[in-house]
Amino acid sequence: MQRDIKTEINQTGDRLTKQRQVILDYLQKVTCHPTAEIVYNNVRRKLPHISLGTVYRNLDYLVDREYALELNTTDAERHFDGCIREHWHYICDKCGTIYDLRRAGNMPVRKKVCWGKVERTECNLYGICKKCARRKK
Ligand SMILES: [Zn+2]
Ligand SMILES: [Zn+2]
């Protein structure tokens, strides 16, 4: 079940500002793992006066509280993900597309290892995606 993050934010006593709401909506709608700049360019259609700094601050807020994920990829950009269910990623070395691996069956995750309980995993698989492989031929 998808968590109702807007209600959760309200319950913490933090303000669910219009900006926060629009950024969260955008992140939850897309699967492209956008950078802050892409988020900015999209939310600007709804909030023409928003600044890139405000977008950064709100993304930091969402990531800090685990309402959104920030991916640690090999490129220098920060990528954000509105899907906070545990899932891994396949990242194309060539085009940089970040694909979601949603099927739990793909993930050899153990809930416990000898050092303790596993609370969180983050895994990026790298390769050349099918689209790029086809283009090369
Ligand atoms: Zn590719
Ligand atoms: Zn993802």
Side-chain angles (χ1 to χ4, degrees):
M1 212 187 73
Q2 186 73 269
R3 278 163 61 191
D4 183 2
I5 290 166
K6 289 178 196 166
T7 308
E8 285 184 34
I9 292 176
N10 277 323
Q11 281 164 352
T12 62
D14 284 346
R15 266 187 49 199
L16 182 63
T17 56
K18 182 81 190 158
Q19 287 107 316
R20 216 162 261 175
Q21 205 169 319
V22 172
I23 291 170
L24 192 59
D25 280 342
Y26 173 72
L27 278 183
Q28 289 181 340
K29 192 179 68 193
V30 298
T31 55
C32 63
H33 308 87
T35 61
E37 232 147 282
I38 294 170
V39 175
Y40 170 63
N41 285 326
N42 279 278
V43 298
R44 229 164 27 149
R45 291 184 201 147
K46 280 192 180 161
L47 303 168
H49 300 297
I50 197 167
S51 70
L52 183 58
T54 304
V55 170
Y56 269 113
R57 265 196 307 280
N58 279 289
L59 286 170
D60 284 337
Y61 168 88
L62 294 171
V63 170
D64 279 351
R65 287 159 185 79
E66 298 182 356
Y67 298 140
L69 298 179
E70 180 178 344
L71 309 180
N72 300 307
T73 63
T74 48
D75 69 12
E77 299 267 21
R78 301 168 67 193
H79 292 270
F80 297 91
D81 194 343
C83 174
I84 49 174
R85 263 176 307 172
E86 183 132 338
H87 67 289
W88 293 3
H89 296 98
Y90 175 85
I91 302 173
C92 177
D93 283 325
K94 191 140 200 192
C95 66
T97 303
I98 302 172
Y99 299 92
D100 282 324
L101 294 175
R102 285 177 191 277
R103 277 183 46 221
N106 288 340
M107 301 176 200
V109 180
R110 281 179 292 171
K111 293 287 172 211
K112 228 177 130 184
V113 293
C114 56
W115 303 278
K117 239 174 87 188
V118 177
E119 308 285 0
R120 207 177 63 81
T121 66
E122 178 171 341
C123 180
N124 297 329
L125 312 173
Y126 291 89
I128 306 285
C129 77
K130 279 188 199 161
K131 272 191 206 159
C132 289
R134 221 177 290 140
R135 219 171 285 149
K136 231 166 57 178
K137 279 174 198 162

